[in-house]
Amino acid sequence: LHSPRLKTRRQQWVCARTDARDELESMWRRAPRRAELLKRIVDAREIALQDLRTVSPRAAAFVRRLETDRLVKVVDRDRPQDPFFSRQVARDEPPVLTEEQAAASKRINGRLTRGGYEGFLIHGITGSGKTEVYFSAIATAHALGRGTLVLVPEIALTPQLVERYRARFGDALAVLHSGLTDRERFEQWQLLRQGKLTVAVGVRSAVFAPIENLGLIVVDEEHDSSFKQERGFNYHARDLALLRAARCGAVAVLGSATPSLESHHNAEIGKLTRLELLHRATAQQLPQVEVTNLAQHHSGPGAQTIFSGPLFNAVKTTLSRGEQVILFLNRRGFAPSLHCGGCGEVIRCRSCAVSLTLHRKPLRLVCHYCGAARPVPEQCPECSAPALKPVGHGTQKAEQVLADLFPQARIARLDRDVGGGLKAEKILERLRQGKIDILIGTQMVTKGHDFPKVTLVGVITADVGLHLPDFRAAERTFQLLTQVAGRAGRTDLPGRALIQTYNPHHPAIELAQTHDYLGFAQTELAARRELGYPPYGRLAALRLNSAEPDKLESAVRALFVALRSAWQALGQPKVELLGPAPAPLSMLQGRYRWHILLRAQHHREIRRLLAPVIPQIESPPKGVRISLDIDPVYML
């Protein structure tokens, strides 16, 4: 064996003993500075020694005296230098739960106490307080001596979420995310494996975290597609969480304001126990949602075509009251494409079958799939005409137009070009502090943030993604609209959401306007049942790609022939073979792409058909890659 590349670092932590609080009153009279330090330790229950130095430069000496007096205990721990732990977080106390929260907690905590597996689906509207139900379950699992795993979609975008967990449970938790260095990842892994940390919060790969005596798994925003890993080893973290919980006799809790239709169906047929939070935890109602038909409002003030008159007036009114606005546009960059006015040519990526996106900061054309960038040409590469013009709009252009329309407003943009992780958190913190009037961004602004003064949410173009060749397009649109609308009116101020669309009568938009999740689920599931799509059928995707199109087509045909032969040899099982066909994104990163879809009512029928061709899948021709994805989430 090789010697380890990394070694753990040690850090001293100070823990209050059970009788320490009783000594505080007498200590205030004889040693006030030591009493101040002891109060901080007692309130936190445990705290890093280095953090106590902010209370007193003599913290180490005071702690030694308190340890001699048997009021505190000093222990050595491994502690990663994760940026999520870079600042102090005040401890909070559990609030009084609403009736719905208390009822949900009683069901979950009762199962934890009795032991054994059970899967719960919490359908809680935005702002209903699902997190407090999670916290109650985590506290119960901890009291029972069992560990907890919490999966979240993109932890790097929500340091606020981590701070909420630290405020309730202290710093004795592991945070697993893509921003960790090798050393930090190793240290977190070791602390969990040794049982020194019993709570882990992380993204999809955290489903494999080695938590001792695992008793509870929480999957927050379970509908989020980022839980699906589609490169290398394909898996869905939500489904693996349910499997892992069942295997180790733990309780699994899935939560969302807009549950995936698969989870909704599983609750309908009894595989999951549905718990509902249908009212906000505060007295505030859900935001009023209005729809603006862009076919009737072609342009707005200043002859621009991004902000309609109704949305412009709504922003103006909100700002006049000293309140804040979030605007959502799921397209980054300045314009989605650059067209030639002479021959109609679109400037495309050389390696992907997509148009290049125009960016203004800095000025360049960028492929959002492979990341390739090139200078903006002065003339059309096909006809040499100089009449190149941007078509459509992205967040950069919307930000520029906003600055023209509202010159006095403080405007910020949040998308992947600005940055994720701590850069994104700085922008969100400025919004939280009231230093930003209007925040415009992509899906990053739809995540579970709470901003007390945000009372207006505007969706600039609700149709982005609605007509993609993917049977989940309508579901994703409904989820996005519902989630982003829920950012408005989270506290005492009433909220309002305004959606701009060319398809005001599409069910995903009409039902999002009335927050009618059950109505949307019923409509969409009826279509899925008729077509045999999940959750009423099962899919498997065979994806093939190669830099050589002829070799790829030959491999595709050979694989399809093998599948047809296996299908006939097995007595023509009830499995549909769809394809082969070029993928909707027919080329990515210089490689041509084809796919074959298998559709059946049950997984076992797909497995039977695939078994004979597994050797062919695992040993493709040279230069060809083949991947097998069971229950694919993306169809492009």
Side-chain angles (χ1 to χ4, degrees), residues 406-445:
F406 302 100
Q408 305 303 319
R410 297 166 296 178
I411 300 167
R413 175 168 51 88
L414 182 60
D415 55 30
R416 294 287 180 189
D417 299 320
V418 173
L422 295 180
K423 290 182 180 178
E425 173 59 13
K426 287 179 181 178
I427 295 172
L428 295 173
E429 185 60 29
R430 286 171 55 210
L431 182 69
R432 204 172 290 120
Q433 294 172 356
K435 297 178 181 179
I436 294 173
D437 299 314
I438 305 173
L439 177 66
I440 182 165
T442 55
Q443 288 189 51
M444 296 170 76
V445 304

Side-chain angles (χ1 to χ4, degrees), residues 12-25:
Q12 287 190 315
W13 280 66
V14 185
C15 309
R17 293 185 181 271
T18 53
D19 55 350
R21 190 177 291 276
D22 299 335
E23 297 295 319
L24 266 176
E25 186 174 347

Side-chain angles (χ1 to χ4, degrees), residues 471 533-534 537-541 598-600 603 606 629-632 635:
F471 71 91
Y533 280 123
R538 298 296 183 180
L539 293 177
L598 284 70
R599 181 167 62 185
H603 271 145
I606 293 177
D629 189 3
I630 304 294
D631 295 329
M635 307 303 294

Side-chain angles (χ1 to χ4, degrees), residues 98 100-101 122-133 256-257 276-282 286 490:
T98 66
E100 289 180 330
Q101 288 173 324
I122 300 180
H123 177 200
I125 64 170
T126 55
S128 60
K130 295 183 289 294
T131 303
E132 285 299 335
V133 179
S256 175
E276 293 184 328
L277 305 179
L278 301 180
H279 300 87
R280 283 191 158 182
T282 62
L286 284 169
R490 303 279 288 197

Side-chain angles (χ1 to χ4, degrees), residues 94-132:
V96 177
L97 299 180
T98 66
E99 287 187 15
E100 289 180 330
Q101 288 173 324
S105 296
K106 184 178 180 181
R107 291 290 300 275
I108 296 170
N109 295 343
R111 169 50 72 183
L112 281 167
T113 303
R114 294 193 302 273
Y117 167 75
E118 187 170 356
F120 293 91
L121 172 64
I122 300 180
H123 177 200
I125 64 170
T126 55
S128 60
K130 295 183 289 294
T131 303
E132 285 299 335

Side-chain angles (χ1 to χ4, degrees), residues 32-92:
R33 286 183 295 175
R34 206 182 331 143
E36 181 184 7
L37 198 76
L38 180 59
K39 185 177 186 306
R40 177 67 67 88
I41 299 168
V42 168
D43 289 344
R45 294 198 285 273
E46 54 183 15
I47 188 170
L49 178 59
Q50 67 180 30
D51 293 336
L52 289 173
R53 292 191 172 95
T54 62
V55 181
S56 169
R58 297 185 59 200
F62 288 154
V63 166
R64 283 196 296 271
R65 177 65 184 272
L66 293 171
E67 189 177 26
T68 301
D69 294 342
R70 302 184 63 78
L71 296 175
V72 302
K73 179 173 65 174
V74 179
V75 295
D76 279 349
R77 283 191 187 154
D78 304 322
R79 180 74 265 170
Q81 301 303 307
D82 193 318
F84 282 106
F85 293 84
S86 61
R87 65 181 183 184
Q88 283 279 81
V89 176
R91 296 297 292 269
D92 70 358

